[in-house]
Amino acid sequence: ANMEVYHVPFIHPDTVAPLVDAQRNVNTIYPNGHARMLAPAPQQTDREHVRAIDSPPNWQEIEGVGEFGKTCTQSYTMFPNWVSPLSNYFVPPLIFWPTSLNTTRIELVTMAMDWGDGPAPDLWTVPDGSKPNGRDMSPIILEDTQFGEMIQKSMESDGFKSVPLSYQEARIYSFHQTCDKMIGLNRVPEHLAVAQVIGENWVYPNDPRVAEMEQMEAAE
């Protein structure tokens, strides 16, 4: 969740898909396992007029948010367990706490501007009328988590060998590289280690794509 956008048309067709071009994103790898993803809106969409997760009715806009925050879907990883989309309305981190080798607890948090006397802004949960003062996860989170147990079971099967990751999942790969470095590369068993393929040339402020773009512009 919030680590790539190619799943959006299939998992979030009516909630997130209007906001995100699932074929385009840019990843920035920061030191120590932190990372950022930017994804633009679909080219045919005027993002300022989309009513979806990043423009909740009656929410106060955060002043001073820059162009990225107003025009792109942003998602940040703060190593080791914080993943958060950002917009000009809120900061709603998803915080993951491992509880065993194959289970995890998710904390759902919404941080927003002062909402006055009205109900507190809440992006990730909705009132549950079946129990007093109870809340349930929002449709977006339910969409993201609906296959979690099945995926975990498949990973525990004898037929499972590994997960190939695409460019869109560079933040996931960077996370595992950082985990191995923290443990110690000489301490991780070879069959469990990930190859350290994201080198320092990809860690901010370095980015080989900048030089490539400059060469393309010079050639034009």
Side-chain angles (χ1 to χ4, degrees), residues 179-195:
C179 284
D180 282 8
K181 289 177 181 176
M182 290 188 69
I183 295 169
L185 297 180
N186 61 333
R187 298 178 178 178
V188 180
E190 184 176 355
H191 70 286
L192 296 177
V194 297

Side-chain angles (χ1 to χ4, degrees), residues 124-140:
W124 298 133
T125 69
V126 294
D128 183 350
S130 65
K131 52 182 181 287
N133 301 319
R135 304 194 71 78
D136 197 3
M137 289 193 295
S138 72
I140 297 172

Side-chain angles (χ1 to χ4, degrees), residues 42-62:
Q43 291 180 329
Q44 71 276 15
T45 301
D46 183 350
R47 184 179 175 85
E48 292 185 359
H49 292 87
V50 171
R51 301 300 300 192
I53 64 167
D54 75 336
S55 51
N58 304 320
W59 283 32
Q60 184 176 344
E61 187 170 3
I62 303 171

Side-chain angles (χ1 to χ4, degrees), residues 39-209:
Q43 291 180 329
Q44 71 276 15
T45 301
D46 183 350
R47 184 179 175 85
E48 292 185 359
H49 292 87
V50 171
R51 301 300 300 192
I53 64 167
D54 75 336
S55 51
N58 304 320
W59 283 32
Q60 184 176 344
E61 187 170 3
I62 303 171
E63 295 182 3
V65 173
E67 180 182 0
F68 286 158
K70 293 182 177 181
T71 61
C72 295
T73 292
Q74 301 181 96
S75 179
Y76 285 80
T77 303
M78 288 196 286
F79 188 86
N81 65 336
W82 169 305
V83 178
S84 180
L86 295 179
S87 86
N88 48 327
Y89 290 94
F90 50 62
V91 180
L94 303 168
I95 305 174
F96 298 85
W97 299 100
T99 52
S100 73
L101 288 175
N102 56 10
T103 60
T104 298
R105 185 179 81 248
I106 305 176
E107 287 187 9
L108 308 170
V109 182
T110 301
M111 295 184 286
M113 298 294 287
D114 185 3
W115 53 89
D117 297 328
D122 191 340
L123 182 69
W124 298 133
T125 69
V126 294
D128 183 350
S130 65
K131 52 182 181 287
N133 301 319
R135 304 194 71 78
D136 197 3
M137 289 193 295
S138 72
I140 297 172
I141 293 296
L142 291 174
E143 289 167 353
D144 269 325
T145 58
Q146 61 184 310
F147 301 117
E149 291 187 16
M150 289 179 279
I151 292 172
Q152 181 63 42
K153 288 181 179 178
S154 70
M155 293 176 65
E156 295 173 1
S157 73
D158 293 336
F160 176 81
K161 301 303 179 184
S162 65
V163 177
L165 299 178
S166 69
Y167 167 76
Q168 285 207 14
E169 297 156 314
R171 292 159 66 207
I172 299 175
Y173 201 96
S174 175
F175 170 87
H176 286 282
Q177 282 195 183
T178 303
C179 284
D180 282 8
K181 289 177 181 176
M182 290 188 69
I183 295 169
L185 297 180
N186 61 333
R187 298 178 178 178
V188 180
E190 184 176 355
H191 70 286
L192 296 177
V194 297
Q196 298 286 313
V197 298
I198 301 178
E200 291 299 318
N201 60 318
W202 281 99
V203 178
Y204 185 85
N206 302 318
D207 189 332
R209 292 170 296 191

